[in-house]
Amino acid sequence: MKTSDVTVGIPFYSGTEPRHFVDAIDSIQEQTHEPKKIHLIQDGSVSEKVQKVVRKKEQEDERVEHLQLGGKKGLSYALNCSILRSGTSLYARMDADDISHPERLEKQVRFFNLNPKVEILGTWAREFSSDPEEEDTFLKKVPTEQKEMEDILHYRSPFIHPSVMFRRKVFAKIGLYPSQEQVEDLCLWSRAFKKGARTANIAEPLLYFRFQGVVARRSSLGRIGREARMRFGYGTLSPKLNALKVSSLLVRIFPERIQEWVYSELR
């Protein structure tokens, strides 16, 4: 077992399912390349069952630190607090309902060591609904090369957000996560590309991503409006990319069942 200079931040909130939360934390605790710190970042009030999970994990594992934000602050604020308190050279994202592959951190750290210019690194993922060991999973791919990642931001995310690991020093170049009034991850990727940050994805599924509810979360008019402002602010002269940009936004106003079909067919 190796120990690395990595902090893993796992935000959780009122909607967090205790069983999924335990699976997410366990998957980080059991990595072949141990993180130095595990931040459990509480965003607002949570159930007593979730509080018991946090207390138990803190008592059992000295790497676990419970960060309480003092009220509902939003994902950007939660992640920024964790990043600023990490003190490690690498910072990894993780969601409270996903599961990391046992070798995820080891392979990302190795990639960083072999590619010293890369500053933000994601991976592919396996999408699942309830149990990744008992169901057919879908392999979700994202581009691995910088130019294609920059192009795809016009109509899709170039990263699977909870798979991402950062060199912590990149935040001095690109800034922290933007305010919750924006689309926090897409705005960060846009700023990273504009500031010349080097990015990559490992072409291997190192995260099990729970996709239930994804369409509903992305379909609010407020989010669609914020995403439209981000995408059109990230301009291009390419007719193809502009057409894809408009199409990706139009789909989001369709009924949820149609969106789910489009997502399942075109993801």
Side-chain angles (χ1 to χ4, degrees):
M1 193 80 73
K2 302 174 183 178
T3 302
S4 59
D5 193 25
V6 180
T7 297
V8 180
I10 311 177
F12 64 100
Y13 57 100
S14 60
T16 297
E17 165 61 48
R19 293 179 297 107
H20 300 165
F21 194 29
V22 170
D23 289 343
I25 301 169
D26 285 350
S27 74
I28 294 300
Q29 290 178 304
E30 297 166 3
Q31 289 287 303
T32 57
H33 203 119
E34 291 186 343
K36 187 174 183 179
K37 298 179 182 179
I38 303 171
H39 284 173
L40 305 183
I41 317 159
Q42 182 176 334
D43 185 18
S45 60
V46 297
S47 69
E48 176 59 27
K49 288 184 178 180
V50 170
Q51 292 180 43
K52 286 182 179 179
V53 170
V54 175
R55 289 195 294 268
K56 187 172 187 291
K57 291 298 184 181
E58 271 197 305
Q59 292 169 0
E60 293 176 345
D61 191 337
E62 63 181 8
R63 298 171 299 172
V64 173
E65 183 178 355
H66 181 199
L67 305 187
Q68 294 182 276
L69 306 182
K72 181 71 173 174
K73 302 292 187 179
L75 180 60
S76 291
Y77 187 94
L79 292 174
N80 289 341
C81 286
S82 176
I83 290 165
L84 292 171
R85 291 187 58 167
S86 62
T88 51
S89 62
L90 299 172
Y91 184 86
R93 279 278 289 110
M94 180 67 185
D95 279 346
D97 58 352
D98 296 331
I99 300 171
S100 282
H101 185 283
E103 296 180 344
R104 174 194 164 187
L105 298 186
E106 180 174 353
K107 291 186 176 184
Q108 287 186 292
V109 170
R110 182 186 303 141
F111 189 99
F112 272 133
N113 289 338
L114 294 174
N115 299 272
K117 292 185 179 180
V118 172
E119 299 164 292
I120 307 175
L121 176 65
T123 78
W124 290 358
R126 291 276 180 191
E127 292 187 344
F128 74 103
S129 57
S130 57
D131 188 337
E133 295 185 357
E134 296 184 359
E135 62 186 79
D136 291 332
T137 58
F138 176 82
L139 177 60
K140 185 174 179 63
K141 300 179 181 181
V142 280
T144 59
E145 300 298 327
Q146 179 91 18
K147 179 61 170 64
E148 189 177 356
M149 294 176 73
E150 292 181 11
D151 285 347
I152 205 173
L153 181 60
H154 290 283
Y155 57 97
R156 285 179 56 189
S157 176
F159 292 104
I160 299 168
H161 193 196
S163 79
V164 171
M165 182 182 286
F166 302 87
R167 291 192 195 273
R168 189 167 171 269
K169 64 183 181 181
V170 76
F171 294 108
K173 176 192 295 187
I174 68 174
L176 293 168
Y177 279 87
S179 69
Q180 193 67 17
E181 285 72 35
Q182 303 181 52
V183 191
E184 63 281 330
D185 56 332
L186 297 180
C187 288
L188 189 67
W189 312 146
S190 172
R191 198 191 307 142
F193 292 145
K194 289 176 180 178
K195 295 285 186 179
R198 302 302 301 171
T199 65
N201 281 302
I202 297 176
E204 185 177 351
L206 298 178
L207 181 82
Y208 294 96
F209 178 77
R210 196 181 302 272
F211 69 86
Q212 283 183 323
V214 168
V215 169
R217 290 196 298 270
R218 296 176 179 176
S219 299
S220 71
L221 290 177
R223 181 181 172 92
I224 294 170
R226 294 191 297 271
E227 189 169 321
R229 287 194 295 273
M230 186 288 301
R231 293 199 190 280
F232 284 102
Y234 186 69
T236 177
L237 297 177
S238 166
K240 176 182 177 181
L241 292 177
N242 278 319
L244 288 168
K245 182 183 303 188
V246 172
S247 299
S248 70
L249 292 167
L250 287 176
V251 167
R252 304 281 284 284
I253 64 175
F254 290 172
E256 191 170 315
R257 291 179 64 180
I258 296 178
Q259 289 189 60
E260 290 175 350
W261 178 83
V262 171
Y263 181 78
S264 66
E265 294 297 318
L266 301 180
R267 60 187 176 179

